[in-house]
Amino acid sequence: MLPAMPPLPSAERVRSAVQLYRYLLRCCRRLPEGSVRQHYRHTIRQSFKVHADEDDPERIQQIIKRAIEDADWVMNKYEKQKKRKDEDKKDTVQEGKHQGAGRYNRDMSAAPNVRGAS
């Protein structure tokens, strides 16, 4: 299986905590509006507060790598959900068109023959 693509093309350029913070907030803009987006923004802020005193460069790079992987997972999760919703909408619209045509045909076949009644 191929590795997943990063959620945004600039992921490979993230080298510092500030760059990571900005990158993750940009990822949040692509999430559904409302409580989902607020949740992840809050989580990002809290994680930065927890790791604010980290000074080991190797540990910082580990945190950056893990945060980007987690962001990738979250973005893929919501992209898949969006695709499923879009497909369901498309299927519903297509079913409605077919059902509408069927009802029209049934209704017309059940109608009395007006010409024959004259």
Side-chain angles (χ1 to χ4, degrees):
M1 182 163 37
L2 295 172
M5 295 290 292
L8 291 175
S10 57
E12 65 277 353
R13 292 189 230 149
V14 174
R15 299 282 182 251
S16 71
V18 173
Q19 289 173 333
L20 176 64
Y21 185 75
R22 294 180 69 207
Y23 170 79
L24 293 174
L25 291 178
R26 280 194 304 273
C27 286
C28 281
R29 290 184 203 152
R30 295 174 55 194
L31 295 173
E33 291 184 16
S35 60
V36 171
R37 193 180 290 182
Q38 288 174 345
H39 167 76
Y40 285 106
R41 287 176 65 94
H42 176 76
T43 302
I44 291 165
R45 288 184 180 116
Q46 290 303 108
S47 294
F48 273 84
K49 288 177 184 177
V50 168
H51 296 291
D53 59 349
E54 188 65 60
D55 57 359
D56 178 14
E58 188 174 313
R59 176 70 180 130
I60 292 170
Q61 290 307 309
Q62 287 175 344
I63 293 169
I64 289 171
K65 182 177 184 253
R66 178 62 190 262
I68 291 172
E69 289 171 356
D70 290 349
D72 186 29
W73 182 86
V74 169
M75 299 303 292
N76 285 333
K77 172 184 166 182
Y78 284 100
E79 285 175 17
K80 285 178 186 175
Q81 282 183 359
K82 185 177 185 300
K83 276 185 185 177
R84 270 190 302 237
K85 269 187 180 178
D86 291 346
E87 288 172 0
D88 289 347
K89 253 187 210 176
K90 183 179 172 185
D91 290 344
T92 302
V93 168
Q94 288 177 349
E95 287 173 10
K97 286 180 183 177
H98 295 299
Q99 288 176 352
R103 276 183 273 153
Y104 177 75
N105 290 337
R106 279 194 306 271
D107 291 342
M108 291 304 290
S109 63
N113 187 350
V114 178
R115 286 188 193 172
S118 305

